[in-house]
Structure formats: structure tokens, C-alpha cells
Amino acid sequence: MQHLDPLAAYVEDRKGRRVIRKILVANNGMAAVKAIMSMRRWTFVEFGSEQVITFVAMATQDDLNANAEFIRLADSFVEVPSGKNINNYANVDLICKIAQEQKVDAVWPGWGHASENPNLPATLKKMGITFIGPNSTVMAALGDKIAANILAQTAKVPSIPWSGDGLVADLTESGSVPDEVFKMACVETVEDAIERASKIGYPVMVKASEGGGGKGIRKATNEEELKVAFINVKTEVVGSPIFMMQMCSEARHLEVQILGDEYGNTLALNGRDCSTQRRFQKIFEEGPPVIAKPDTFKQMERAAQRLTKLVGYTGAGTVEYLYSAEHDKFYFLELNPRLQVEHPVTEGITGVNLPATQLQVAMGIPLHNVPDIRRFYGLDPTGTDSIDFMTTDYPPITSHVLASRITAENPEDGFKPTSGKINSIRFQSSGDCWGYFSVGLKGGIHEFADSQFGHVFAKGANRNEARKHLLFALKNIDISGDIRHPVDYLLELLETDAFKDNTIDTMWLDKIIAEKLVSPNHGPLEVVFFATVYRAFELVKQRTQAILSSMQKGQLVLLGKSDTDGLVTFPVETVFEGQKFTFQVERSRADTFVFSINGARIQAKVREQPDGSLYVSVGNLSQLIKGQEEALGLRLVMGAATVMIPTVHDASELRSDVNGKVVRYLHDEGTEVKKGEAYIELEAMKMIMALKCGEDGKIFHAKSAGSIVSAGELLATLELKDPSKVQNIETFAGDFSLTCVQSEPEPAPPEEALAALLDGYVSAEPGPALVERLFEQFSSSEMAAESVRGLLEKYLANERPFAASILEKRPYDQVLLELINAGKDEPGKVVGTMVAHNKLAERNAIVLAMLREMVSAEGSGMSCMYVPDVKTDEDMGSAVHTKIIELSEMPGSASMAGDYCGVRYLAQQLLDVVPHASHEERAAEFRRELDNLDEKALSSLAELPGENNGSLDLELMVESLSDADAKRQPRAMHAYIHWLAAPSHVTDVKVLEAPGLVSAAAWTQRYPVKRFEAHDRHGLLLVLPNLSSLDSALSEQLLGSLCASAKADKVPLNMLHIAVGRDAFAAGTDRTLFYNTDEELATHLQHCSEVFARKAELLRTAGVGEICMALPQ
């Protein structure tokens, strides 16, 4: 039968003493998130429900405003005062009051805040509430770093030189170190610190016994640094005892994870290597600590167990050591009587859920009865037999876990903390990568929060495999918001040889930061370019928004030409590393920007993503960028790299680069301060940091101690000692080239470029030139019609309302208001309409160029293939002809709304020369005219066929010369000769016998040479099937009639006309090539010239003074 209370049954079966059902989480951020998630996971796996235990959270207004994730995870929360943690999470009285009011069974303290304050477990014990951690006596003894070192020395654990060297103690009845011994290890004043440092030896570490997480710890390499370090530590952890220890160089920071229960059992869950630190704040953590020899690390584990067993430690804790890999020696550093931030590393290599194990220990369950512990030792998890943890070894660790802290810190400025909104965090967990984040969607990091908001873990079979998995995980993190984060910097660190080879020490990262040995992998020109792209895109957005806002108010002031042109062409300046880069920016499409500088032109396609980031395609690179303009400059994220493009400030102004509170000024008003010297201390993210002067000069305070300041706010002014030393900003005059761009941008297809110009954008090539290129590329009338029709419609669609207003004589302002009202659902389109309309002159030039191309072709009498058939079926409302008619009806007078006079005139001219029937209709009519001629009319042809009805043109006559109809062809030759000779009188036409497919006719015409005097002039018409028959056609047989007349006249007046039939170019499969390429034309001309050169003597004999060739299309 199933137990009605599975939690109580579990505690009973596991020999526990109490049931905990409701827990107050007396912490926030990462600690609270991890605790709730881990304990819920345990209850779900063990009991099939995550609701077995109820969680109550404490939340400040700052946490609520930041949308902190732990608030969402908890079942309920109690709002507590904001501000410093002494007001909330470190306030023992407040925690106990809430615990009592909420009737919780236990309090989980996490890390930091009140987690190491012995008053908390002591007070809770009096209230009958369980503290999930060690009791107050043990916490006081071991949790205090000073007492822990004394106890370590008492237990004969190796220690490094420190302010309590040689001190040992017999514990009092309460289990604590006697006060008189404790005080002997404390450093009370600056003078005391200086004296002790002389005995310990520099460099020294000044530490607050109640500090942790990088707070309350400073390094000093000399007496001056020691004075500042002591004050900083004292200020950072107020009221905490302070001690000093020698800084161990080239040492590793190794930890042993220990657990103890209330029955005197203590065990070691292997350990961690936390040597990658900056300012003593861990960055990477990993386990197991493979740098230590196995036997040596086993000694470290046993020493940790003896130390904790000595004082009856319960719960989870960490014993920290300094380890010298060179000498294979270790030294006690401190014991943290709480769970560490990096405990998931241990969970990853042991499979032990540490928060859940803490909870079970707090329920009084012996460690050997905790299923996770038994699994780790390779035993049956359901068993309850005891384990001697001091003599029993766990199986070898067969995996490696590497972790990275994700913090709101600026790696380019010494990892200074930052605060602000976090819009989104995208991270995908997998089997070998997982992570925790304390911030939800649209959350943030407030100035009183810990800087860490995320922790990412990667697992592998060995250290290098785990490193690669962590690299991949970090590469795929996307964090959007106001804060800075070091993810890109962490990626660089993971790829360094020292980290790969595991030759680092605790000072390795500080050295890299100080010497800037790791830097973003983007060159300065790339940074400048992408910063300029971001600023150009934002400028267009801001100007567009300003226009839209104006329109919504019914204001028209921002719809003028200069305003809309400012959306298309504008300059952008970026100052970086002492140089000013001035770009001229042009938009060639809605999403395409062209950046010009010093003769270089770089084209970029920019697409905005839903989260505000930009995909920028330039050359062979597609780069994701994000930007945030801040008080101190532009924060630009390029992929995983973050770069600050600082705003150029007056060197006499000293400004804050963080959000925080003024602790104190380090120099009196009017005091001389040196360049690089600290002038103020600010408290930010629970840490004290000093800001340094940029130049020499006298300082004058702008704030007072206690003032709350924001990033970019003025802190002090400098009366510069030497203003000439201030760096000048120089204009960049070099060659601006990007590695991803190998050449100038390829010109766009002419139709695409023309469409963009008609939308109001710009092109490097003028519109008329693009039109010429466009018409040269047409290969059929259909293609021409489709392109021309589309371009003309784009022009007309934009201009119809403006043209109509001129015809209807409506005020221009009224037209604009009507446009705004009609486009109220899509105001962006109204802006686009105005951008295009305000470039009417340039757009008119394009339309005029197209009309000229068509007028030229139609007016020549030849409807060439590359010109669209202007006249098409009447039912085609979108035909080119319809567009031309609409253009011809544009207003004939100019006004504020536009000037369409030139377009109207040329469209009317085109309509005048356009035939009123199709080619097929005109050809059929011409053939009928020829067929209807009688023999008498053939001799005179006073009126040519088709002359009256408009069907006559050269194209039709040349086509009919090759007509297969034996009766029609001679008639066509007669008509062609009369057309050719006009206005002279043709006196004789004879159709000659010709060989093969060649046809020929000779004629005589009267040629005037003087007034009232004319001579006979003779001509020969040859009709060839193709050009290959030209050579054989120029024979004595056919040229004989001309030769006879030439002997009589002795003057080369004779004419030779050659017409080539429809199959003129036998070798060409695409007849349009003749018109599309100069090379094709040159080939045919060369062939003809060669033939004429070979026949030169015969032609001279025939008295030929003029040769004309008619080639069909």
C-alpha cells in the first residue's frame, strides 16, 4: 500500500529525525535559482512530484524590477527592503522574522549574505527552525577564516606564513577558538598591517575573515599599496576581523568538497581546481583537480575530513588549499562553511545533488543513507549499511567538468562590474553542456546585486574534451541588454596555450588582464566599420521615427526634401583610438548601405532581427552585431566580441564608468593628482573600486561621499597641468580596407538599380546610363515590355496623387494630409512615397530616358526587338501603351506638387510616332496592296503601297523582298526601288535572271546635276538569302548592266543596293545577338568589307559609287 506521506516515509526509511516541508530561501540570484531547481529535481525524481516541498523567497524591489528568475521559481515571496544586503539578505533579524511568520521548517542560506553569520543558525535554533548548514558554534570556529587557520595549525595542516603564524588553540566548551588567541591573529590598524607585513614578507594578501566571492580581499606589493588595500578591505566588509597572509606565487587554488552529518560522519566528494581567478574572484572552475598527484590530493581530502570531523561539522563545506605543482606541496587557505557557487562542478563528476543532500542531512539522514552518496561509492542506493568514509575510497572519477561564470563585468576595463537591463539570454543546454541563469526575460542586474548572473558547465571524458564542449557552449550564448559580459574574453582564454596545457596559476589571469595579452580578434578598422553601420542604421530609424511622430500629429514640417533626403544620404562620424573616421553614407536599397571614405566604397546589406540585433552582410562575411549607445560611448557586440567605442570627453572631466555610490575622494579639493593615480573610490556591486586620473592636474570634487552616481556622470574636474599633452583627434587619411572585402561592390542589374532609384534611393551610375544598359540587354519584345511596364508603373504609382492634385488644383498641404490619412495603417509607406516624390527630378530623368529610347526606335521606322511593342491588345490594362497614354496626360504645368511637363511632352511625341496597328497587321495590309497593283501601276508607282494607310515602312519593304510568292517578290522590288530613288524619277525597272536563290533587278533614274539638267543614273538591287552568298552574287553576269553604263558615263554614279533576307545570318541561332553585341556586328561588317575588297576591280568597272546594305532584324 502506498504511503500517504511519501516524504515522511522516506525520512523514516532513511533513519532521519525530522521532516522539512517548507523552506525559506534566504538568498537571491544564482544561489536561490540553483537551490530551488536542485531540490525540486530531487523531489520529482524521488517522489514523482516537484511540489513536495514549498519554497518561500525573499525579494527586494530591485529584484522584482529586474524580473529575477528565483522569484518565478519560488511558490511565494516576501518583499524585503532594497539597498545594501544588510537591509535584506544579510539581515539576520529580518530573515528570522520572515521564517517565523511564514511558518517554515527550515532556512537555506546559500552563499554570501548571511550564510556565514553564526547568529543566523543560533537564532533559528532558539525558534525551533532548522538551519540547512553547520551549527553556530562550528560556523564561528571554522567559518571564520582566522579561526579556521588557527584550527588548521592545531590539526597540523600545513599553513603558509600569515598574521597568526604558530598559533594553536584548545577549543572552548562551546567549540570555539579562545578570544585572546583569535585576536592575536587579527590586524587592527594600518600601522599594525605595515609591521606584520615586514615579518611575513611582501607581497601580502589583506583579507576580511567574513569576506568571500572576491570581496574583502586585496593584494599589496609594497607599503603604499598596503595602506590603500587595508582601508578597502575594511570598507568592503564592514565590521569583519582582518588578517594577512603571504601571497604564494605560482600556486594553484584547489578545493575539497566536504560533507558532514550530525552523527560525526564526514566525507570528501573529490574537489575542484579554481586557479583561474581575477582579483581573487573565480572565473573558471574545474574538477577533478588533475594538476595534483592522486596521492597528494588524497592527503588533502583526508586532512579536510580530519579538520571538519574535529569540530563536528554538518552540511556542505569547502576546504581550500594553495598547491605548488612544482614542489607537490599544499597549504591550508580557508574553510568555507557553506555551499560554493561552483558546487555543480562536483555534482557533474560525482552525480551527487548537493542542495538535495544538504536538505537530507538537515532532516537528520546519515550520509551513508543518502542514495546519491551510496551511488558515488559504488554501493546499492537503497541500502542503509554504514560506510567508514575515512578509510573507504570512492571509485576513480572517469569524467571532467569545466565551468565558466557569466558575470555583468567589463573585461576591457579590468572586469569592472556593470548593471542594467538584460533583454534576453539565449542558451541551449545539451547532454554535455548545461547552465543556470538568475535573470529572466526582460530582467536585469541592479547595483546591489552580485555581478554573477549565470554559470555554464561542460563535461567530457577528459579535460581537453570538456574544454572544447565549453568553448562550443560559450560560442552559442547570446546575451542582449545594457550590461557588459566577458563571454568573448572567456573564449579567448580557453584557447590560450597556458590554459590548454594546464600551466596556469592564481596570478595568471591578473597578469593577462594587466598586460592585455588577450584582446578581441577584430581589427580596429572592422570595429570602426561595424560601429558606423550600427550608427547609420540607427540614424535612419531615429529620423524615420521622428517623421512618423510628426505625421501622427498632423504636422507636415518633416516631409520636405531635405528631411527625406536625409534618410538616403548622410555623413556618419566614428572616433576610435585617437582617429576620426568620416563616412559618406548612401542607401542604394531599403536594406543596403554604401559607405564611402577616402575613395573606398564598401557596400553592406543590413537586416534587423526581432531582438534589435543586425545581420550585416559585407563582402564574404555575414556578421551579427548589436549596439547600445551609453553615456560613455557605443557598446558594440560583434558576434561574441564586445568592444567599447568611447565618447570623446574633455580631458578635464573625470566621469564614472559604473553605476554605484561615492565612498570617498582620495585627494583634497585643489590637490595635485598625477596621471594614472587613483582619485576616488566607488562602491559598485558590493565591491570597492578606485578610479584613476587620465591626466596631471588639480582636482575639484563634483560630488560628495555617499552620492549615488550613474555611468557617465561627472565625478570631478581637473585643472590640467599641461593642456598641450592632451591627445588630439586626427582625421583618418589612410586606405580603409577590410579583409572580408576584396573588391568594389558589383554593380546591380540595371532594372534592379532603376527600381531602387525610382523608390528614391541612390546609385553610383546615373539613371539615364542605366536605362541605356537596360535596353541593350533586352533579347525580346516581351522581356522589354515586362521591364518597361514595371518601371513605368512604379513611377506612376508614386506620382498619381500628386499629378491628380495639380489637375484638380488642390493645395499641396491637402494632398499630403490625404496621403497621411489614407496610409494611417501603414505610415511607413507614406514615408517611402515622400522619399521617392522628393527625388522627382532624378526619377523624371529615368522616365525621359526610357521614352527617348522608344521614340528613337519607333521614329526610325524600325520596331527593333529590344524596344517593347508599345501598342498591344486593348484589353491589357497594364500594357506599355496604357502607361504611355497615362504619362501623356500628366499635368502640363508645374506646381509645388511636381513638374511633369517634360515627361508629358515626350510621351505625347512617342504616341505620335507609334504605328496604330501591330506588325502582323501592317505586313498583311502591305502584301494586299502589292497584290492589288496592276501591271500599269508597276511602271509608274506614283503612290507607294501603304503610303496612305500608314502601313509603309522600311522593315515591311525589306521583308517583302524575300517573299516566297513568285508574283509578289517582283512587285516588292519595284516598290522598294521607287522608294529608294525618291524624289528622283525612275525611268526603267528590269527584273534580271539570277543564279540560285539570289534575286536581282536593275533600274534607271534621272539624277539632277544642275538646274534644269539631269543625267541617267543606274542601279542594281540584289536580294540575298544570307550573307554567305554575297561573294557569288557580285558576279560579272549580274553587274554587267552597270558595267555597260559605266563605260558611257565615265563617272562612278551607279548604285548597288543589297538586301539580305530573313535568314541573313545562317550561322547565328539567336538573331538578337546582332543587335546586342558590338562583336557580332563587327564580325558581319568585317566579312562584307573583305568581300568588297576582293571585288573592288569589278565594282570599279561597274562604276559603283555607292553601296547600301539592308539587314533584317
Side-chain angles (χ1 to χ4, degrees):
M1 180 177 176
Q2 188 176 5
H3 202 289
L4 295 178
D5 188 345
L7 181 59
Y10 178 88
V11 173
E12 181 182 339
D13 291 344
R14 293 284 146 184
K15 313 300 183 190
R17 292 179 172 176
R18 64 197 66 87
V19 178
I20 295 175
R21 305 180 189 278
K22 190 173 185 179
I23 298 172
L24 172 65
V25 179
N27 214 304
N28 65 344
M30 287 294 301
V33 168
K34 179 59 171 63
I36 297 173
M37 288 179 63
S38 293
M39 292 187 212
R40 284 201 193 283
R41 185 169 67 247
W42 172 68
T43 61
F44 186 81
V45 171
E46 192 65 45
F47 308 111
S49 171
E50 68 272 31
Q51 302 301 322
V52 172
I53 295 174
T54 301
F55 294 95
V56 179
M58 298 167 59
T60 68
Q61 187 61 50
D62 295 316
D63 289 322
L64 291 166
N65 293 340
N67 193 24
E69 184 72 1
F70 76 92
I71 301 173
R72 183 186 68 81
L73 292 173
D75 296 287
S76 63
F77 71 89
V78 177
E79 187 170 348
V80 295
S82 296
K84 286 187 172 184
N85 67 350
I86 194 63
N87 299 329
N88 37 70
Y89 305 106
N91 190 319
V92 171
D93 292 338
L94 178 63
I95 294 170
C96 294
K97 178 175 177 288
I98 293 172
Q100 190 171 46
E101 290 175 349
Q102 294 294 314
K103 298 179 180 174
V104 301
D105 301 312
V107 173
W108 186 86
W111 48 82
H113 299 309
S115 64
E116 297 181 57
N117 189 333
N119 293 328
L120 181 58
T123 307
L124 289 172
K125 184 177 181 181
K126 293 177 184 177
M127 299 169 65
I129 297 172
T130 301
F131 177 77
I132 302 178
N135 62 49
S136 58
T137 302
V138 172
M139 183 180 288
L142 284 180
D144 185 275
K145 295 173 176 60
I146 296 173
N149 273 276
I150 295 172
L151 288 174
Q153 289 179 154
T154 304
K156 301 187 184 305
V157 178
S159 298
I160 61 175
W162 68 298
S163 56
D165 251 353
L167 293 175
V168 295
D170 293 325
L171 298 181
T172 64
E173 290 183 2
S174 62
S176 62
V177 173
D179 287 347
E180 62 273 15
V181 178
F182 183 88
K183 289 180 178 178
M184 291 173 67
C186 296
V187 181
E188 302 289 347
T189 65
V190 172
E191 292 73 24
D192 188 15
I194 294 170
E195 182 182 347
R196 301 222 188 193
S198 65
K199 297 176 182 178
I200 297 171
Y202 289 102
V204 296
M205 304 302 304
V206 183
K207 305 178 75 172
S209 65
E210 297 173 8
K215 289 173 275 294
I217 181 170
R218 289 291 190 278
K219 178 182 75 172
T221 61
N222 54 54
E223 187 174 312
E224 290 303 314
E225 289 183 3
L226 180 57
K227 293 176 182 178
V228 175
F230 183 84
I231 294 172
N232 283 347
V233 170
K234 194 171 184 179
T235 307
E236 238 171 43
V237 189
V238 178
S240 170
I242 296 173
F243 69 105
M244 291 167 56
M245 61 193 304
Q246 188 181 73
M247 191 179 80
C248 184
S249 61
E250 299 182 0
R252 301 290 286 255
H253 179 116
L254 305 187
E255 301 177 347
V256 174
Q257 177 68 61
I258 56 100
L259 284 169
D261 62 24
E262 57 191 72
Y263 308 99
N265 299 309
T266 61
L267 65 85
L269 288 177
N270 200 263
R272 301 177 289 266
D273 185 342
C274 303
S275 300
T276 308
Q277 305 177 2
R278 56 111 191 98
R279 285 205 316 266
F280 314 107
Q281 176 76 22
K282 299 160 188 173
I283 296 294
F284 296 132
E285 305 104 349
E286 56 183 297
V290 294
I291 190 66
K293 293 179 180 179
D295 290 344
T296 303
F297 192 73
K298 180 58 67 177
Q299 294 176 36
M300 297 165 73
E301 288 183 302
R302 292 294 184 245
Q305 287 176 267
R306 288 194 304 271
L307 180 58
T308 52
K309 191 177 183 68
L310 177 68
V311 293
Y313 190 91
T314 57
T318 304
V319 177
E320 300 184 352
Y321 297 98
L322 289 176
Y323 173 73
S324 171
E326 182 181 358
H327 303 102
D328 191 29
K329 291 184 180 296
F330 63 92
Y331 306 96
F332 178 79
L333 187 59
E334 63 187 33
L335 189 151
N336 289 305
R338 54 176 170 80
L339 205 57
Q340 297 271 87
V341 181
E342 60 272 17
H343 74 270
V345 170
T346 298
E347 292 180 324
I349 61 175
T350 65
V352 177
N353 182 332
L354 283 171
T357 302
Q358 281 185 296
L359 174 60
Q360 292 173 77
V361 168
M363 290 180 181
I365 297 174
L367 282 170
H368 60 262
N369 285 351
V370 175
D372 277 358
I373 299 298
R374 298 187 64 82
R375 286 191 194 93
F376 175 58
Y377 274 83
L379 302 173
D380 179 7
T382 63
T384 57
D385 52 307
S386 63
I387 305 170
D388 185 349
F389 295 113
M390 291 298 293
T391 59
T392 305
D393 291 334
Y394 51 78
I397 301 293
T398 58
S399 61
H400 197 96
V401 172
L402 183 55
S404 173
R405 298 190 183 193
I406 309 300
T407 58
E409 295 173 328
N410 181 3
E412 294 177 10
D413 195 11
F415 282 82
K416 283 183 180 176
T418 65
S419 59
K421 292 180 181 178
I422 296 179
N423 297 326
S424 64
I425 300 173
R426 289 203 295 266
F427 172 75
Q428 186 65 50
S429 294
S430 62
D432 49 32
C433 297
W434 67 97
Y436 311 97
F437 295 89
S438 62
V439 179
L441 186 66
K442 300 293 183 183
I445 305 294
H446 57 79
E447 61 194 88
F448 300 106
D450 188 88
S451 63
Q452 183 182 359
F453 65 91
H455 217 162
V456 175
F457 304 84
K459 189 173 185 176
N462 52 54
R463 184 176 187 272
N464 191 47
E465 188 175 295
R467 183 188 67 85
K468 290 179 179 178
H469 290 161
L470 183 60
L471 272 169
F472 183 78
L474 293 178
K475 284 178 183 288
N476 288 280
I477 284 181
D478 182 62
I479 301 168
S480 172
D482 299 338
I483 57 128
R484 298 293 303 276
H485 62 81
V487 171
D488 55 316
Y489 197 89
L490 302 179
L491 289 167
E492 296 289 330
L493 289 177
L494 288 170
E495 291 282 33
T496 59
D497 291 337
F499 192 87
K500 289 179 182 178
D501 299 337
N502 203 16
T503 58
I504 60 175
D505 57 45
T506 56
M507 302 307 296
W508 171 70
L509 182 52
D510 281 329
K511 181 181 179 182
I512 283 179
I513 294 171
E515 299 180 9
K516 297 185 177 180
L517 298 178
V518 170
S519 58
N521 54 8
H522 293 280
L525 294 188
E526 276 188 303
V527 172
V528 168
F529 177 74
F530 286 112
T532 305
V533 171
Y534 172 80
R535 283 176 165 160
F537 189 87
E538 284 299 304
L539 181 63
V540 171
K541 278 183 65 175
Q542 291 166 10
R543 289 181 175 177
T544 302
Q545 188 56 50
I547 293 173
L548 292 174
S549 298
S550 175
M551 286 166 44
Q552 288 170 357
K553 299 172 185 176
Q555 299 171 349
L556 309 176
V557 65
L558 295 182
L559 292 177
K561 180 173 174 58
S562 62
D563 299 296
T564 57
D565 284 358
L567 298 176
V568 178
T569 306
F570 47 87
V572 173
E573 281 188 359
T574 297
V575 177
F576 189 61
E577 294 186 348
Q579 290 187 301
K580 180 172 70 175
F581 299 79
T582 303
F583 292 84
Q584 185 62 30
V585 184
E586 296 175 333
R587 294 172 68 197
S588 58
R589 307 285 185 284
D591 62 354
T592 305
F593 294 70
V594 179
F595 300 85
S596 301
I597 183 172
N598 298 346
R601 283 174 55 84
I602 302 172
Q603 180 175 292
K605 188 170 185 177
V606 185
R607 289 165 292 173
E608 186 175 22
Q609 303 304 299
D611 63 355
S613 60
L614 305 177
Y615 268 118
V616 182
S617 299
V618 53
N620 57 13
L621 175 69
S622 185
Q623 178 69 65
L624 180 69
I625 67 171
K626 298 177 185 176
Q628 179 75 38
E629 292 284 1
E630 300 173 352
L632 296 175
L634 170 63
R635 178 161 52 86
L636 183 70
V637 180
M638 299 159 38
T642 302
V643 183
M644 193 71 182
I645 295 87
T647 301
V648 180
H649 283 299
D650 187 338
S652 66
E653 296 179 346
L654 302 177
R655 296 181 178 273
S656 174
D657 52 6
V658 296
N659 298 326
K661 185 176 75 172
V662 175
V663 175
R664 62 174 180 144
Y665 285 91
L666 302 178
H667 301 274
D668 293 334
E669 190 91 357
T671 303
E672 289 278 351
V673 184
K674 298 291 185 183
K675 180 178 179 179
E677 188 176 1
Y679 70 92
I680 194 173
E681 287 180 350
L682 298 180
E683 180 184 357
M685 313 292 283
K686 301 188 289 185
M687 297 185 69
I688 303 296
M689 61 185 61
L691 304 187
K692 298 178 180 179
C693 261
E695 297 293 339
D696 295 347
K698 289 182 180 179
I699 190 167
F700 297 93
H701 307 164
K703 298 290 181 182
S704 58
S707 299
I708 302 298
V709 295
S710 302
E713 198 163 341
L714 186 68
L715 299 175
T717 57
L718 274 182
E719 185 181 297
L720 296 174
K721 185 174 183 180
D722 185 359
S724 65
K725 288 186 178 180
V726 178
Q727 180 185 11
N728 292 321
I729 303 299
E730 297 180 355
T731 300
F732 176 76
D735 178 28
F736 195 95
S737 60
L738 302 177
T739 54
C740 59
V741 179
Q742 302 298 326
S743 59
E744 287 277 330
E746 289 287 329
E751 183 173 356
E752 184 181 322
L754 286 168
L757 283 172
L758 288 172
D759 281 335
Y761 298 107
V762 298
S763 170
E765 189 174 1
L770 287 168
V771 170
E772 186 175 346
R773 280 209 294 126
L774 176 69
F775 275 71
E776 288 173 354
Q777 292 179 8
F778 290 149
S779 59
S780 70
S781 295
E782 291 76 15
M783 178 184 291
E786 184 177 350
S787 296
V788 172
R789 181 169 60 243
L791 292 172
L792 291 181
E793 175 55 29
K794 180 175 281 290
Y795 170 86
L796 286 165
N798 203 85
E799 299 308 314
R800 283 185 182 111
F802 302 101
S805 72
I806 299 175
L807 294 172
E808 297 166 9
K809 296 183 179 180
R810 286 183 287 127
Y812 185 53
D813 286 0
Q814 182 183 341
V815 181
L816 297 183
L817 290 172
E818 289 171 355
L819 277 174
I820 293 171
N821 185 57
K824 60 184 176 183
D825 294 331
E826 295 181 289
K829 286 189 176 181
V830 179
V831 176
T833 296
M834 293 308 302
V835 168
H837 177 68
N838 285 334
K839 286 187 174 289
L840 183 60
E842 295 88 337
R843 296 165 64 248
N844 279 348
I846 294 171
V847 175
L848 289 169
M850 288 193 289
L851 293 174
R852 289 191 189 98
E853 288 283 346
M854 290 185 281
V855 166
S856 175
E858 297 291 352
S860 69
M862 297 185 68
S863 180
C864 301
M865 294 186 80
Y866 57 73
V867 177
D869 283 336
V870 174
K871 180 68 175 178
T872 58
D873 295 340
E874 290 297 333
D875 61 347
M876 291 181 62
S878 61
V880 175
H881 185 252
T882 305
K883 308 303 175 191
I884 303 300
I885 291 174
E886 188 173 354
L887 291 174
S888 72
E889 295 171 350
M890 298 289 272
S893 60
S895 76
M896 282 186 65
D899 183 354
Y900 306 98
C901 299
V903 170
R904 170 192 170 101
Y905 171 76
L906 201 53
Q908 291 175 342
Q909 184 179 344
L910 176 58
L911 290 175
D912 289 342
V913 299
V914 170
H916 297 292
S918 68
H919 174 80
E920 289 74 15
E921 291 171 338
R922 290 183 290 114
E925 178 62 25
F926 188 76
R927 287 193 292 270
R928 283 194 295 271
E929 292 279 352
L930 287 176
D931 294 344
N932 291 334
L933 289 174
D934 58 28
E935 294 301 324
K936 184 178 180 182
L938 283 174
S939 61
S940 62
L941 283 179
E943 183 179 283
L944 292 174
E947 188 172 354
N948 285 335
N949 61 17
S951 63
L952 173 63
D953 63 28
L954 180 60
E955 181 183 4
L956 297 178
M957 285 191 287
V958 172
E959 277 188 20
S960 61
L961 291 176
S962 303
D963 200 300
D965 190 309
K967 180 181 178 183
R968 190 178 295 142
Q969 187 190 37
R971 292 168 178 256
M973 295 174 73
H974 274 78
Y976 180 79
I977 289 170
H978 279 79
W979 173 84
L980 189 63
S984 301
H985 178 61
V986 177
T987 59
D988 185 38
V989 177
K990 292 180 180 178
V991 177
L992 306 178
E993 293 289 335
L997 298 176
V998 177
S999 301
W1003 81 90
T1004 303
Q1005 67 183 69
R1006 298 294 293 168
Y1007 183 72
V1009 292
K1010 293 180 181 178
R1011 192 176 183 184
F1012 307 120
E1013 183 180 349
H1015 290 177
D1016 282 340
R1017 189 176 185 185
H1018 305 282
L1020 177 65
L1021 170 64
L1022 297 177
V1023 181
L1024 310 180
N1026 50 58
L1027 280 177
S1028 61
S1029 58
L1030 176 62
D1031 197 317
S1032 60
L1034 296 179
S1035 62
E1036 291 185 10
Q1037 174 188 349
L1038 293 179
L1039 291 172
S1041 61
L1042 295 183
C1043 293
S1045 63
K1047 291 178 181 178
D1049 295 334
K1050 298 181 181 180
V1051 177
L1053 293 177
N1054 292 339
M1055 298 168 288
L1056 174 61
H1057 275 253
I1058 303 170
V1060 187
R1062 276 191 171 275
D1063 300 323
F1065 315 116
T1069 56
D1070 185 356
R1071 292 168 58 205
T1072 64
L1073 288 177
F1074 175 79
Y1075 299 98
N1076 288 346
T1077 65
D1078 291 338
E1079 181 181 354
E1080 184 74 10
L1081 177 61
T1083 300
H1084 295 307
L1085 292 178
Q1086 180 67 25
H1087 170 71
C1088 294
S1089 297
E1090 291 172 355
V1091 172
F1092 293 143
R1094 288 196 299 272
K1095 302 290 184 175
E1097 187 59 36
L1098 178 60
L1099 293 173
R1100 277 195 294 271
T1101 302
V1104 175
E1106 177 184 312
I1107 300 177
C1108 178
M1109 294 191 69
L1111 302 175
Q1113 64 176 15

